[in-house]
Amino acid sequence: MIKLVLAIETSCDDTSVALVGHDGFVHQLQSAAQDLAHRPFGGVVPEIAGRNHSETLLPLIDQVVQTQEDGWQSINGIVVTNRPGLLGSLIVGVVTAKSLAMVKNLPLIGVNHLEGHIFAPFLKDESYAPSEQFDFPFLSLAVSGGHTTLYLVNGLGDYKVLGTTRDDAAGEAFDKFGKMLGLPFPGGVQVDRLSQNGNRAAYYFPKGLLEDGSLDFSFSGLKSSAQRLIQSISREEKQKNISDLCASFQESVAQTLVTKLRWAVEKYKIKNISITGGVSANSRVRELAEALAQEKGLTLLIPPLRYCTDNAAMIGYVGVKRMNRGERSDLKLAPSPEYNLQNDAPTDESSPT
Ligand code: KG4
Ligand code: ZN
């Protein structure tokens, strides 16, 4: 039995390392965000992300391993995100994980980043444990700067994609809107903050794909409409009404996300829902989701922010569970842009170490 794994996450712009137990207990989670490095460009620059990972990853691993009295002796396996993500970022994690697995003679497994987000609610630590009522099957809305997907989750490895974005991710829409308003990256956080004093009904913003009953998402129409609106108003109006603009835009995104969640709950008769990814921090998304849960008697689980944004703990959770089912990856493990969770056959099930 694999008791404790070292997990590495470098799929986008957060370098993250964790130690996770077989029961989902997070013994260590240390991350280095790169927001400041990307801020001048208003978005993640892949080359900068990859370079920063290669500078921060090894010191972070050292730091995490040193917290254990027995150091490497206490670690029984290495888990790494190998898909999907920015290839230049993924490769830093994958090459490091493979080297460590070889040098330390430890079993290795590559994990799908999205599967990590799905299982984030089950992580535990000294100050968080999931509600005991929360169980399979559940609906998982993974909503961040890179993804907006609604899954029906029946168990580890058993998923149905109910809907996904046809263009931008919701976080990306928030960030682009922030950029239009001249707010610092990542704009989502600032838009949420400014919305607190704004009027949600001050401006009209369209809600994508709400008329066709689909569980897919689309934010490109909203983005174009926001662009047109911002260009049509004076700089003074923009400054004066920035809170109203933010609150109205946020309302459109939050209503869209939670309406799809409502439709999925009704269609699939599911009692448990979870929201993960950076956008789950959004105050209006939370408010609307909580109201939906109350109205329908659902158990809603939004993990703490440290497990919602990109982090290695969620990757470790999936890795340790898969390893304890006998799954392993071999040293041919490669980074991949592949999103599809259904193609997640382990790379090598025949040679458990
Ligand atoms: O999960 P995450 O850290 O990384 C990705 O996988 O993208 O999510 C980051 C995204 C960014 O787009 C950021 O603007 C958005 O989450 N975000 C928010 C809020 N906090 C973070 N969007 C809206 N409201 C927030 N409070
Ligand atoms: Zn993510």
Side-chain angles (χ1 to χ4, degrees):
M1 150 117 130
I2 305 282
K3 286 199 172 140
L4 189 73
V5 290
L6 176 91
I8 298 172
E9 154 66 40
T10 63
S11 66
C12 188
D13 63 336
D14 292 297
T15 319
S16 183
V17 178
L19 291 176
V20 183
H22 62 97
D23 52 356
F25 193 87
V26 183
H27 295 260
Q28 278 290 315
L29 172 61
Q30 300 201 25
S31 306
Q34 304 178 6
D35 288 350
L36 290 180
H38 300 282
R39 186 162 285 176
F41 307 95
V44 175
V45 182
E47 289 78 3
I48 295 179
R51 198 180 327 129
N52 280 354
H53 286 311
S54 58
E55 282 166 12
T56 42
L57 181 57
L58 283 176
L60 214 51
I61 293 173
D62 269 342
Q63 225 170 294
V64 163
V65 174
Q66 276 165 18
T67 60
Q68 302 304 292
E69 212 173 300
D70 295 333
W72 281 100
Q73 296 300 321
S74 53
I75 296 165
N76 316 120
I78 309 271
V79 185
V80 63
T81 305
N82 78 313
R83 63 201 184 280
L86 301 170
L87 285 180
S89 290
L90 287 168
I91 203 163
V92 178
V94 170
V95 167
T96 306
K98 289 202 292 189
S99 310
L100 288 171
M102 204 159 64
V103 171
K104 304 288 178 191
N105 198 22
L106 289 169
L108 169 76
I109 193 161
V111 163
N112 187 311
H113 177 84
L114 300 167
E115 205 174 14
H117 277 303
I118 289 174
F119 283 90
F122 294 109
L123 290 167
K124 289 180 245 175
D125 59 30
E126 261 129 32
S127 55
Y128 167 74
S131 149
E132 282 178 11
Q133 281 152 349
F134 186 83
D135 207 348
F136 304 109
F138 65 90
L139 292 173
S140 172
L141 178 64
V143 62
S144 72
H147 12 267
T148 304
T149 305
L150 186 55
Y151 302 94
L152 172 57
V153 183
N154 291 311
L156 183 66
D158 185 355
Y159 320 107
K160 188 174 160 67
V161 174
L162 304 182
T164 194
T165 183
R166 295 187 189 168
D167 37 63
D168 291 346
E172 197 180 352
F174 269 116
D175 295 342
K176 285 180 178 162
F177 184 65
K179 199 172 172 181
M180 289 175 211
L181 294 176
L183 300 172
F185 175 80
V189 185
Q190 316 294 333
V191 171
D192 191 3
R193 187 176 56 80
L194 287 163
S195 295
Q196 304 303 318
N197 310 315
N199 172 2
R200 297 194 284 263
Y203 290 93
Y204 168 78
F205 287 103
K207 298 184 190 75
L209 302 180
L210 275 196
E211 35 322 290
D212 74 351
S214 151
L215 293 176
D216 277 345
F217 303 89
S218 168
F219 296 102
S220 64
L222 170 66
K223 190 179 64 186
S224 315
S225 147
Q227 195 131 36
R228 280 195 301 274
L229 175 70
I230 302 284
Q231 278 162 358
S232 74
I233 59 179
S234 67
R235 187 192 289 251
E236 292 70 39
E237 181 178 348
K238 195 168 93 174
Q239 284 313 324
K240 191 164 135 268
N241 295 349
I242 195 158
S243 292
D244 289 349
L245 285 162
C246 287
S248 305
F249 181 90
Q250 174 170 287
E251 185 66 8
S252 161
V253 178
Q255 287 285 359
T256 305
L257 293 173
V258 178
T259 301
K260 302 282 168 153
L261 211 44
R262 170 186 290 276
W263 289 351
V265 164
E266 287 167 356
K267 183 164 176 193
Y268 293 92
K269 316 254 175 301
I270 299 289
K271 285 285 174 200
N272 297 298
I273 54 177
S274 146
I275 309 180
T276 64
V279 179
S280 68
N282 184 267
S283 56
R284 187 62 180 153
V285 170
R286 282 175 177 242
E287 204 170 79
L288 291 173
E290 275 156 20
L292 172 69
Q294 197 139 38
E295 178 196 324
K296 302 235 172 230
L298 312 171
T299 303
L300 166 69
L301 218 162
I302 304 179
L305 199 56
R306 59 187 175 281
Y307 301 141
C308 274
T309 56
D310 286 353
N311 70 89
M314 66 187 192
I315 303 303
Y317 182 93
V318 173
V320 74
K321 294 286 172 193
R322 285 192 172 275
M323 277 187 165
N324 281 328
R325 294 204 313 200
E327 298 173 23
R328 301 287 187 272
S329 298
D330 61 26
L331 291 176
K332 292 201 289 282
L333 182 72
S336 152
E338 178 64 55
Y339 259 86
N340 194 348
L341 281 167
Q342 312 306 338
N343 289 349
D344 265 358
T347 42
D348 180 7
E349 238 180 313
S350 58
S351 59
T353 316

